[in-house]
């Protein structure tokens, strides 16, 4: 009778143990981040694969780009109906491919004494998103976190009392994650760079653009939406706050210099930046308009834009959800998904496809809904500045992770 031998411990209960390594690798790359973390406990071989940096970078590249939304929600009320005056400051990610929302992080705190002050002086802000990392502040404390790995750390300096955050990026030559901030000095905005994991802050040298940028810093910087950066093509982009739109401000994250990028058209319409085919794109639509145009930047160096398409929207249908006819429409994905933000009291959000067909309508279960410029693309790539936090205090985060 043949001798029966037991398989090695790491192969027991593992249905994929006998598959070729290339096939196992392909299967693992298709799993979501949470499943990858669970797979590390299956066997040593899988742990070795799923902790390899090349695997983690490839896995990050396959993750969907999810637009981040923020809103405020009442925590609850007493049985008598008295408001608890406690608020949740929520961040959710929307995957337009699956049409699903997912909770990312949530801060909980006391409501301000006056509701009007909540809109003018919001205690919570999402400042930036880069490579699966979120840069957020709450009550003058600045945090960087990775929702996929549930790691976080405080960022200091700068002091949010003096500085305002303009963006987060990875510096290509060094591989460092750096934060761009600014503060008002003698009625002029000056910019500073802080490297994550370092306490040093340095002022930016503008190089050859110092003359033109000096004029801009003195006169025009206050009219730029530095609180709404869009990261694309290795560059940070900001739209002006005032109309008409003629140029987009650009920060090259390699040379660490500012420049101007001419917009495809001079417009007074609602504009929104996104990424398409690995390059910058711009959505343009008039308030309460029936059409949304999409422009794609074909040649970055020569600033050559191409009009990609125009989407027709059903105005009569949208009017049923916005009696004030003040809705704003934006292309929000490379596939041509359009989000219509109805500005009436209920604040309906309507999701249309590139053909103008209504895919979904939804109401925010809170208020002060904000479709941010930030894209979350989850990553399990380890970062040294999180390890520094773990080797220190080991404190629990001052926020709640999403599900």
């Amino acid at each position: 009778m043949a001798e029966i031998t037991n398989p090695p411990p790491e192969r027991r209960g593992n249905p994929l143990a006998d598959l070729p390594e290339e096939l196992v690798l392909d299967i693992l790359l298709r799993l979501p981040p949470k499943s990858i973390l669970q797979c590390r406990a299956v066997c040593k071989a899988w742990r070795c694969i799923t902790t390899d940096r090349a695997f983690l970078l490839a896995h990050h590249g396959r993750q969907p780009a999810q637009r981040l939304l923020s809103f405020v929600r009442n925590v609850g009320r007493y049985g008598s109906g008295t408001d608890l005056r406690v608020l949740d400051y929520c961040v959710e990610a929307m995957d337009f491919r699956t049409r699903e929302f997912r909770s990312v992080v949530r801060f909980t705190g006391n409501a301000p004494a006056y509701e009007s002050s909540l809109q003018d002086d919001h205690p919570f802000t999402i400042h930036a998103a880069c490579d699966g990392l979120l840069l957020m502040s709450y009550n003058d404390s600045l945090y960087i976190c990775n929702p996929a790995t549930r790691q976080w750390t405080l960022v200091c300096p700068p002091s949010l009392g003096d500085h305002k955050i303009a963006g987060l990026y990875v510096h290509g030559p060094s591989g460092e994650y750096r934060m761009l901030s600014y503060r008002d000095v003698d009625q002029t905005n000056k910019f500073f760079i802080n490297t994550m994991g370092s306490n040093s802050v340095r002022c930016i040298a503008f190089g050859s653009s110092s003359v033109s940028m000096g004029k801009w810093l003195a006169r025009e910087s206050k009219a730029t939406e530095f609180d709404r950066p869009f990261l694309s093509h290795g560059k940070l982009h900001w739209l002006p706050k005032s109309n008409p739109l003629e140029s987009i401000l650009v920060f090259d994250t390699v040379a660490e210099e500012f420049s101007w990028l001419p917009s495809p058209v001079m417009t007074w319409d609602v504009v929104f930046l996104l990424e398409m085919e690995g390059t910058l794109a711009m959505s343009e639509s008039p308030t309460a308009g029936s059409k949304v145009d999409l422009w794609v930047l074909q040649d970055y160096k020569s600033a050559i834009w191409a009009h990609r398409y125009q989407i027709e929207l059903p105005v009569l249908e949208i009017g049923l959800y916005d009696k004030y006819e003040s809705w704003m429409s934006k292309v929000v994905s490379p596939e041509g998904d359009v989000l219509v933000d109805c500005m009436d009291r209920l604040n309906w959000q309507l999701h249309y496809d590139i053909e103008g067909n209504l895919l979904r309508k939804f109401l925010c279960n809170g208020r002060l809904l904000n479709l941010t410029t930030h894209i979350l693309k989850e990553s399990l790539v380890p970062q040294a500045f999180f390890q520094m936090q773990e080797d220190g205090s080991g404190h629990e985060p001052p926020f709640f992770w999403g599900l």
Side-chain angles (χ1 to χ4, degrees):
M1 183 175 178
E3 182 180 357
I4 299 176
T5 59
N6 292 323
E10 64 269 16
R11 301 173 72 89
R12 296 173 192 165
N14 182 0
L16 304 183
D18 295 323
L19 293 179
E21 184 177 342
E22 294 79 9
L23 184 56
V24 172
L25 180 63
D26 185 64
I27 293 173
L28 291 174
L29 282 172
R30 297 172 186 271
L31 296 178
K34 186 175 182 179
S35 298
I36 293 294
L37 295 176
Q38 295 170 339
C39 284
R40 292 177 180 178
V42 172
C43 63
K44 291 181 180 178
W46 283 20
R47 182 172 181 82
C48 183
I49 292 173
T50 57
T51 55
D52 180 72
R53 185 172 180 84
F55 170 86
L56 295 176
L57 289 171
H59 181 262
H60 169 58
R62 290 192 176 209
Q63 299 313 296
Q66 302 173 84
R67 182 72 63 169
L68 292 178
L69 304 97
S70 66
F71 59 92
V72 178
R73 180 176 58 204
N74 287 330
V75 171
R77 298 175 182 272
Y78 292 115
S80 62
T82 304
D83 196 339
L84 291 177
R85 302 213 54 76
V86 176
L87 299 177
D88 276 344
Y89 301 92
C90 306
V91 180
E92 294 192 357
M94 183 174 185
D95 187 342
F96 288 98
R97 300 182 310 170
T98 62
R99 306 174 201 169
E100 293 179 346
F101 288 89
R102 182 176 60 84
S103 175
V104 179
V105 295
R106 169 173 54 87
F107 287 82
T108 299
N110 294 328
Y114 300 99
E115 179 70 18
S116 59
S117 66
L118 186 62
Q119 198 154 13
D120 300 331
D121 189 19
H122 210 300
F124 168 73
T125 304
I126 313 174
H127 296 286
C130 175
D131 290 349
L133 304 173
L134 296 186
L135 188 65
M136 313 174 295
S137 66
Y138 181 69
N139 285 341
D140 296 329
S141 293
L142 188 62
Y143 308 94
I144 187 168
C145 74
N146 183 334
T149 62
R150 300 201 165 189
Q151 294 172 297
W152 70 282
T153 187
L154 274 167
V155 179
C156 56
S159 166
L160 291 180
D162 300 323
H163 289 246
K164 295 183 179 179
I165 309 304
L168 176 71
Y169 60 95
V170 58
H171 181 243
S174 67
E176 297 173 340
Y177 284 88
R178 297 179 176 180
M179 180 180 66
L180 183 67
S181 64
Y182 67 99
R183 64 187 176 95
D184 187 54
V185 179
D186 297 328
Q187 297 185 337
T188 299
N189 283 336
K190 290 193 175 181
F191 289 80
F192 302 84
I193 291 176
N194 172 212
T195 300
M196 296 295 101
S198 168
N199 289 327
S200 63
V201 177
R202 61 184 175 86
C203 188
I204 294 179
F206 289 104
S208 60
S209 62
S210 60
V211 175
S212 59
M213 288 306 301
K215 178 182 177 182
W216 171 81
L217 288 170
R219 297 184 182 179
E220 301 177 45
S221 60
K222 296 182 186 300
T224 301
E225 292 186 319
F226 284 117
D227 58 335
R228 296 178 62 83
F230 183 74
L231 181 62
S232 171
H233 204 68
K235 297 177 174 63
L236 287 166
H237 305 80
W238 298 273
L239 293 169
K241 289 182 179 178
S242 56
N243 283 326
L245 171 67
E246 297 181 87
S247 298
I248 301 167
L249 182 65
V250 180
F251 179 73
D252 188 316
T253 62
V254 175
E256 295 184 321
E257 291 184 352
F258 287 94
S259 63
W260 287 107
L261 173 67
S263 62
V265 290
M266 185 174 72
T267 179
W268 282 259
D269 293 341
V270 176
V271 293
F272 195 70
L273 299 179
L274 64 153
E275 189 171 89
M276 179 174 287
E277 301 167 2
T279 189
L280 187 68
M282 190 184 88
S283 165
E284 174 206 4
S285 177
T287 300
S290 62
K291 300 176 182 178
V292 187
D293 290 280
L294 187 86
W295 301 83
V296 175
L297 187 58
Q298 288 188 324
D299 188 324
Y300 214 109
K301 184 175 292 186
S302 303
I304 297 176
W305 295 81
H307 185 264
R308 182 57 53 89
Y309 52 71
Q310 185 178 80
I311 301 173
E312 293 273 355
L313 296 174
V315 174
L316 293 180
E317 181 179 59
I318 298 174
L320 298 176
Y321 301 93
D322 189 346
K323 63 181 180 180
Y324 301 118
E325 297 187 355
S326 56
W327 65 82
M328 294 189 292
S329 309
K330 304 167 184 175
V331 179
V332 291
S333 79
E335 293 73 33
D337 293 277
V338 176
L339 198 63
V340 178
D341 185 7
C342 298
M343 307 301 288
D344 65 356
R345 184 179 60 84
L346 292 177
N347 199 201
W348 279 97
Q349 305 292 307
L350 310 178
H351 178 195
Y352 288 90
D353 65 13
I354 195 171
E355 302 296 331
N357 300 310
L358 180 63
L359 301 177
R360 184 182 179 188
K361 58 183 180 181
F362 56 92
L363 283 171
C364 175
N365 62 345
R367 59 189 190 280
L368 299 181
L369 178 66
N370 173 34
L371 177 67
T372 76
T373 58
H374 311 306
I375 302 294
L376 178 64
K377 194 176 173 73
E378 291 184 295
S379 173
L380 297 174
V381 178
Q383 302 296 341
F385 45 81
F386 290 136
Q387 186 63 43
M388 293 165 61
Q389 169 78 10
E390 292 166 1
D391 292 342
S393 62
H395 290 164
E396 290 295 316
F399 49 83
F400 299 95
W401 298 109
L403 300 178

